[in-house]
Amino acid sequence: MGQRRLATPQKDDANKRPQSKKSNNAVLNSTTTRKGEVFRAQRRTSENVNLRASQHLIDIPVNKSVYNGYGGEQFSAKMQPKPVRGGQPKLRIIPIGGVGEMGIGKNMNAIEYDDEIIIVDMGFLFPGSDYPGINYITPDITWLEENKHKIKAHVFTHGHLDHIGSFRHFIHRIPAPVYGSKFTISMLDRTMDDSEVDFKPDYRVMDPLSHEIVQVSKHFSIELVRVNHSIPDSTAVIIRTPMGVIVDSGDWRFEESPVDGQKFDLERLTEVASKEGILMFMNESTNCESAGTHTHTEFDIQYSIGQVMDKFSNSRVILSCFSSQVHRLQLILEEAHKHGRKVAFAGFSMIQNKEVALRSGTIKIPKDTIMKMEDIVKLPDNQIAVVCTGSQSEFNAVLNRMATGAHKYMKIKGSDVVVFSSNPIPGNEKSVVRTVDGLMREGSDVIQNGKTHLTGIGPHCTCRVTDIMTITSN
């Protein structure tokens, strides 16, 4: 008998088939290649990539020369020495911000040894046009928050916002005693007025002139050393560790005749270097890579301001500078007093820093020299001097608002003279030029550094203008 056929054969039930186990690899799931072959190919590719990548490690020889330290053999990752675990604790310097960053700001360094950390500075960065709507950028302190039990001290070099700007945002998250010079601590305390948290830091004022050494923890001690900068009480920080001495210079410049009479304490740094040795020197300052030094002092700038007031005797004189340049504010006040002009300060940070300087005794105001901005309409132009922010063409700074007619009490007019008493910070040149163009369109005269041959104002010398490094550069 033959085989019997079913008239209506049933379809194959897919549920009865053996189920193949899917992997997490989407490419593998969609291919018919055997799993073992795929994994072997992946391994070969990975080994090849690692082999090639190992040729680009820093300080690793890649040729077969007998001089490469490996007997003429081609280097491979297997030949790289492995780190030894345990043993002596290591000293680590960890940039939290500022190092390798775009622009100038976010300065913050952590120094770690064993189970202790001290932090130097805590700044923020003013972003450029590529960060629209962002007021400032702060460092990422995630690692510090995870290790906040190790933090023994915060120490600050000076009071500029690129070094203290993030303080009010971070100090309650990574609390520890705060060390700095008198004026710097006053600036830190002022920034806490804008904080959104009710936290009182543990401030500890140090005297850089007495070479005071403070033991902040078992392994770390710190000392502040006087340096010159465009803000009072600027210091370098000497950090003594079990491995050696670390020096963080902060921002600095050499000044032959500082306004407060306190010169750069190079003798102390030389003494430490010769007696103790310096394991690492962390140098930082705008334009410090430029050869040579400047030949002009703050008193030369005071003389130039007097020249402006003499030449434009019937005009309102508007001077823009950094709100933290307290010594320059002192000289402007003295020069205005000599010329019978009242001085009005414009800008929130300008007024706040002036009050800090008054409370700390850093500045002295001549009698009957200060007036309110709203009262300048009561005086003739030849009796008015206005000191404002905006030398770096910040978007919402006072000078820009005056030039565009957005300021509440003052608008630039054709008889005014505007003095930029500070050079542009590297990166701000384009914005400053745009502000100068706007001021000139309003008809005002604009005085800038390096234009002595055009204005007849400023120190005269026979060198090229491009070779002049003025005191305004830091």
Side-chain angles (χ1 to χ4, degrees):
M1 296 179 62
Q3 294 180 350
R4 183 181 178 183
R5 293 186 179 182
L6 297 176
T8 55
Q10 296 181 357
K11 295 182 179 180
D12 185 19
D13 188 357
N15 294 328
K16 295 181 179 180
R17 293 181 182 180
Q19 298 294 324
S20 59
K21 208 169 187 181
K22 289 190 176 183
S23 69
N24 294 327
N25 191 323
V27 177
L28 181 63
N29 293 335
S30 60
T31 184
T32 58
T33 308
R34 294 179 61 182
K35 185 190 299 185
E37 294 179 7
V38 174
F39 283 127
R40 282 193 293 273
Q42 286 179 334
R43 190 183 309 113
R44 286 194 300 271
T45 302
S46 176
E47 289 175 353
N48 190 38
V49 169
N50 291 334
L51 178 63
R52 294 179 183 277
S54 68
Q55 306 304 311
H56 301 282
L57 296 176
I58 298 175
D59 295 332
I60 294 298
V62 296
N63 58 38
K64 295 185 178 181
S65 168
V66 295
Y67 301 106
N68 67 5
Y70 292 91
E73 296 183 19
Q74 179 65 37
F75 175 81
S76 66
K78 295 179 181 179
M79 300 167 67
Q80 187 170 4
K82 296 181 180 180
V84 180
R85 296 183 178 181
Q88 183 73 16
K90 292 183 178 180
L91 176 66
R92 298 202 299 167
I93 300 175
I94 307 166
I96 308 299
V99 177
E101 302 281 355
M102 57 173 187
I104 296 175
K106 287 177 67 176
N107 295 287
M108 189 175 186
N109 291 303
I111 300 174
E112 180 187 39
Y113 183 84
D114 199 9
D115 59 345
E116 296 180 347
I117 298 173
I118 65 171
I119 298 172
V120 181
D121 290 331
M122 204 180 295
F124 64 44
L125 169 69
F126 286 109
S129 57
D130 50 343
Y131 281 81
I134 304 299
N135 293 331
Y136 48 81
I137 304 172
T138 63
D140 181 358
I141 63 167
T142 303
W143 179 80
L144 290 176
E145 289 186 287
E146 293 172 352
N147 294 273
K148 63 182 180 181
H149 59 285
K150 297 182 180 181
I151 300 175
K152 305 302 179 183
H154 298 282
V155 57
F156 290 86
T157 57
H158 63 283
H160 277 153
L161 290 177
D162 60 326
H163 289 258
I164 69 168
S166 295
F167 178 74
R168 62 188 175 95
H169 300 288
F170 291 166
I171 187 59
H172 64 283
R173 295 162 58 181
I174 46 175
V178 179
Y179 297 86
S181 60
K182 182 179 179 181
F183 185 79
T184 303
I185 293 294
S186 299
M187 292 290 288
L188 291 169
D189 193 36
R190 188 199 67 77
T191 64
M192 289 303 295
D193 295 338
D194 303 325
S195 176
E196 298 178 353
V197 298
D198 185 17
F199 179 82
K200 183 64 176 176
D202 179 11
Y203 297 119
R204 303 186 183 185
V205 177
M206 295 180 63
D207 181 14
L209 300 181
S210 66
H211 304 152
E212 176 185 10
I213 300 176
V214 177
Q215 191 75 32
V216 297
S217 67
K218 177 182 177 182
H219 300 301
F220 291 114
S221 68
I222 59 175
E223 176 186 351
L224 301 184
V225 177
R226 173 77 68 197
V227 301
N228 296 135
H229 189 34
S230 56
I231 188 171
D233 263 6
S234 296
T235 62
V237 181
I238 297 176
I239 303 161
R240 291 177 173 86
T241 75
M243 302 291 289
V245 176
I246 299 172
V247 177
D248 187 326
S249 71
D251 284 344
W252 59 272
R253 69 185 184 200
F254 291 119
E255 182 60 49
E256 292 299 326
S257 302
V259 177
D260 59 0
Q262 302 296 334
K263 289 188 177 182
F264 195 119
D265 195 354
L266 195 58
E267 292 79 9
R268 178 55 179 167
L269 290 177
T270 304
E271 181 183 4
V272 172
S274 59
K275 292 183 178 180
E276 304 177 49
I278 296 178
L279 176 66
M280 182 172 183
F281 177 57
M282 298 190 291
N283 182 28
E284 180 210 352
S285 192
T286 309
N287 295 331
C288 67
E289 73 280 1
S290 300
T293 184
H294 61 80
T295 57
H296 311 306
T297 68
E298 284 284 349
F299 296 105
D300 292 320
I301 295 177
Q302 179 184 10
Y303 176 74
S304 298
I305 292 170
Q307 286 182 305
V308 174
M309 293 181 178
D310 288 333
K311 184 174 181 178
F312 299 90
S313 57
N314 295 320
S315 302
R316 294 186 302 186
V317 177
I318 302 163
L319 302 109
S320 70
C321 67
F322 291 106
S323 61
S324 58
Q325 287 182 306
V326 175
H327 291 149
R328 188 163 301 172
L329 299 182
Q330 175 75 70
L331 299 179
I332 290 172
L333 286 167
E334 293 175 2
E335 201 61 30
H337 183 68
K338 292 178 186 177
H339 287 78
R341 290 179 181 263
K342 300 285 187 180
V343 177
F345 290 94
F348 177 77
S349 61
M350 183 72 72
I351 295 172
Q352 291 290 317
N353 290 345
K354 182 194 67 175
E355 292 178 355
V356 171
L358 282 171
R359 287 198 297 267
S360 62
T362 310
I363 191 174
K364 296 180 181 179
I365 298 178
K367 187 177 181 180
D368 297 329
T369 305
I370 297 291
M371 68 180 300
K372 295 181 180 180
M373 274 297 297
E374 53 264 40
D375 293 335
I376 62 175
V377 295
K378 300 176 183 179
L379 294 177
D381 289 355
N382 61 356
Q383 296 181 22
I384 296 173
V386 177
V387 183
C388 65
T389 57
S391 63
Q392 301 304 307
S393 189
E394 300 91 334
F395 175 73
N396 203 35
V398 170
L399 190 59
N400 268 340
R401 287 188 280 132
M402 288 180 179
T404 57
H407 194 269
K408 186 176 181 180
Y409 300 112
M410 186 174 179
K411 183 182 185 302
I412 299 296
K413 59 184 181 181
S415 61
D416 292 337
V417 56
V418 180
V419 180
F420 283 78
S421 74
S422 297
N423 285 342
I425 290 175
N428 290 351
E429 294 87 354
K430 290 175 64 176
S431 300
V432 173
V433 169
R434 186 166 55 247
T435 297
V436 171
D437 287 347
L439 294 169
M440 288 183 171
R441 288 191 184 97
E442 296 298 322
S444 69
D445 289 286
V446 178
I447 308 295
Q448 291 179 279
N449 173 54
K451 302 294 192 296
T452 301
H453 60 295
L454 299 176
T455 62
I457 294 172
H460 293 271
C461 66
T462 57
C463 59
R464 295 177 301 166
V465 173
T466 53
D467 290 337
I468 297 176
M469 178 185 285
T470 69
I471 198 165
T472 59
S473 64
N474 260 346

